[in-house]
Amino acid sequence: MVPFIDVMLVLLIIFMVSAPLLPTGVVDLPSIGKARKAPEKVIEVVLEDDDHVKLRVNRKDAGEMLVKDLAERIKPMQDEAAGGPEAVPVIISARKDVRYEAVVHVMDVLQKAGVARVGLSVRTTGG
């Protein structure tokens, strides 16, 4: 039994010494260079904080609301603004300090309501 304890202690010391030397989990996020031209008709959902969103339709303010009321307001706007067979895209924008969980929640609310063409706004580097 004693040799088993000695081996375990040696392994413990080896792991304790080598653990700080392992690389940490750094996430290398993708960036986007040149993007296609933005569509002319677009509905933009701007996340102010976790509960409130601001709507912009064709780059004009359309009011503020709670996230829970978003789906019932967006679906008719998307159908009305389309004017053709293709649905108007809905773009979600958020500041850097808004939690990612809130962005995913807004996307989930829109997709559950059957809103077609939901995307995320990105900042292009122009390269």
Side-chain angles (χ1 to χ4, degrees):
M1 186 71 166
V2 174
F4 180 70
I5 294 173
D6 290 343
V7 168
M8 294 305 290
L9 288 175
V10 168
L11 287 174
L12 179 67
I13 291 170
I14 290 172
F15 287 126
M16 287 174 54
V17 170
S18 64
L21 302 176
L22 295 174
T24 57
V26 177
V27 178
D28 186 20
L29 295 175
S31 62
I32 183 170
K34 276 189 170 177
R36 290 186 295 163
K37 183 183 174 195
E40 293 185 23
K41 293 181 179 179
V42 67
I43 299 172
E44 187 176 3
V45 177
V46 181
L47 219 60
E48 295 293 318
D49 57 29
D50 291 350
D51 295 342
H52 294 84
V53 293
K54 188 186 299 182
L55 282 181
R56 289 187 193 151
V57 179
N58 299 331
R59 294 169 183 81
K60 295 179 182 128
D61 287 338
E64 282 190 35
M65 67 188 60
L66 295 173
V67 172
K68 64 180 182 175
D69 303 328
L70 184 63
E72 60 194 35
R73 177 109 184 258
I74 288 280
K75 188 66 174 158
M77 289 172 74
Q78 188 181 38
D79 295 337
E80 173 187 314
E86 191 173 317
V88 173
V90 177
I91 306 294
I92 301 172
S93 300
R95 295 189 323 257
K96 285 184 179 181
D97 59 340
V98 174
R99 294 183 338 195
Y100 187 66
E101 180 182 350
V103 175
V104 171
H105 176 66
V106 169
M107 185 179 280
D108 184 49
V109 166
L110 292 173
Q111 287 181 341
K112 282 183 180 175
V115 175
R117 297 187 66 190
V118 177
L120 297 175
S121 176
V122 294
R123 178 174 290 148
T124 59
T125 58

